[in-house]
Amino acid sequence: MAILIKSASEIEKMRVSGIALRKVHEAVRSAVKVGATTMDLERAAVAKIDELGAKSAFKGYHNYPAVLCTSVNNQVIHGIPNDKTILRDGDVVSVDCGVIINGFYSDCAVTYPVGKLSPAAEKLLRVTEASLYAAIDKAQAGGRLGDISNAVQVMCEREGFGVVRDFVGHGIGKSMHEDPQVPNFGDPGKGPRLKPGMVLAIEPMINAGSADVHVLADGWTAITRDGSLSAHFEHTVAITKDGPLILTQ
Ligand code: MF3
Ligand code: CO
C-alpha cells in the first residue's frame, strides 16, 4: 500500500484528535501514584475519553479489551490494565493510548516514573524520550524514513540500550496503522522519501538490556527476555513544508 498524503484540513482534524488524546494522557498522569492499580489508570482514561466525546482506538482492536496499554517495568508494550497490578515506588509504567475523533486517529505513549526511580531507570526514560525527539527532528520533507529510524537507534545504542526490533511505528490517519512501518533502527538516507502530508506514529521501544522480547500467553503483553526495564514514548507527527508538527502535544 502507498503512503497516504493528508491535506492541510485532514491534518487539522488529526490535530483535534491529538489534542483530545493529550487530555486523556494528562488525566492518566494525575492518576499515576504509588498504590494505584493499572485499572485505576484505565478508569481515568475511560472517564476522560467519554467526557471528550472521543472513541477509543484500542478497545476492540483485534479484541483488545481496554482503552490503554499499561506496561510496567519489564513489560515493553501492550500490557493489559488490571486490578492486581499495583504501582510501587521505583516502578516505571508505559501508558499507550489512541483515540478517534471525526474519523481520525491519534496515537501517543508516555513512560511515567512511579515515586522515586533508580538512576538507571531515570536514564532509560530520559534517553528514550530524547530519542523520540531526535527522531521527530528528522521528520523533514525531502529526508528519508531511515533518517528517523537511525536517529533513535544511534542515540539509544550509544547508551548500551536494546532497541526493540519486533515492534515498529507506523503511518496513521483514518486507520490506526497505515504504511509505512517506522522501525526504530535503520540507515540514514535509506527508505521512502518523506513528503509534506505524511503522518507518522513514531514510537521508540527501548530496553535497558537486550532488545529481545517475548509475548506472554495472554497474547498481548510483550516483555523483555532478560527481565530488564523497558520504556516507550510515542507521538503522532505530521510532516509539513515547515517541518515536523507534533499532533499529540
Ligand atoms: N499503540 C499501539 C500501536 O502503535 C497499538 C496498541 S494495540 C491495541 O500500534 F490493541 F491496544 F490497540
Ligand atoms: Co502506535
Side-chain angles (χ1 to χ4, degrees):
M1 201 181 82
I3 302 175
L4 299 175
I5 299 296
K6 281 82 182 177
S7 68
S9 81
E10 288 176 319
I11 288 174
E12 198 42 49
K13 288 180 183 163
M14 293 193 71
R15 198 220 281 264
V16 169
S17 179
I19 289 169
L21 180 54
R22 172 58 33 198
K23 289 178 181 160
V24 178
H25 271 286
E26 278 160 17
V28 173
R29 181 200 296 269
S30 319
V32 172
K33 42 181 76 109
V34 174
T37 68
T38 52
M39 190 55 86
D40 291 332
L41 308 188
E42 169 78 7
R43 275 190 285 267
V46 166
K48 186 54 83 175
I49 289 171
D50 287 351
E51 182 192 318
L52 293 164
K55 189 169 151 15
S56 169
F58 290 8
K59 195 165 186 164
Y61 178 82
H62 293 278
N63 292 321
Y64 187 74
V67 307
L68 295 183
C69 299
T70 52
S71 308
V72 179
N73 294 338
N74 62 318
Q75 299 179 345
V76 179
I77 52 167
H78 299 169
I80 301 170
N82 64 85
D83 45 35
K84 305 239 153 45
T85 304
I86 301 170
L87 300 176
R88 317 252 179 217
D89 190 37
D91 283 351
V92 301
V93 58
S94 299
V95 175
D96 192 355
C97 190
V99 300
I100 315 164
I101 292 193
N102 291 323
F104 284 93
Y105 284 71
S106 52
D107 192 1
C108 180
V110 185
T111 302
Y112 295 114
V114 181
K116 179 142 181 57
L117 294 192
S118 70
E122 223 162 58
K123 181 175 173 191
L124 176 69
L125 267 51
R126 181 164 31 81
V127 172
T128 303
E129 187 172 23
S131 79
L132 169 59
Y133 285 98
I136 290 171
D137 220 48
K138 298 290 183 187
Q140 305 284 352
R144 300 268 190 177
L145 189 65
D147 304 346
I148 293 175
S149 303
N150 184 258
V152 174
Q153 181 177 15
V154 166
M155 185 170 285
C156 294
E157 289 186 347
R158 191 172 60 206
E159 303 296 341
F161 295 150
V163 175
V164 172
R165 301 296 200 269
D166 295 16
F167 299 95
V168 296
H170 47 95
I172 181 168
K174 288 184 175 172
S175 311
M176 182 156 63
H177 296 132
E178 295 182 354
D179 274 351
Q181 294 197 54
V182 183
N184 295 301
F185 51 94
D187 296 325
K190 296 281 170 66
R193 178 83 61 193
L194 302 174
K195 298 190 179 137
M198 290 181 177
V199 183
L200 304 175
I202 304 175
E203 48 178 321
M205 291 155 266
I206 306 297
N207 301 341
S210 132
D212 294 347
V213 304
H214 157 84
V215 176
L216 296 182
D218 63 16
W220 286 104
T221 315
I223 64 169
T224 58
R225 273 205 188 269
D226 62 6
S228 65
L229 285 186
S230 190
H232 180 206
F233 287 85
E234 175 179 27
H235 273 308
T236 298
V237 181
I239 295 166
T240 79
K241 64 175 178 23
D242 304 318
L245 178 61
I246 302 176
L247 301 176
T248 41
Q249 80 176 0

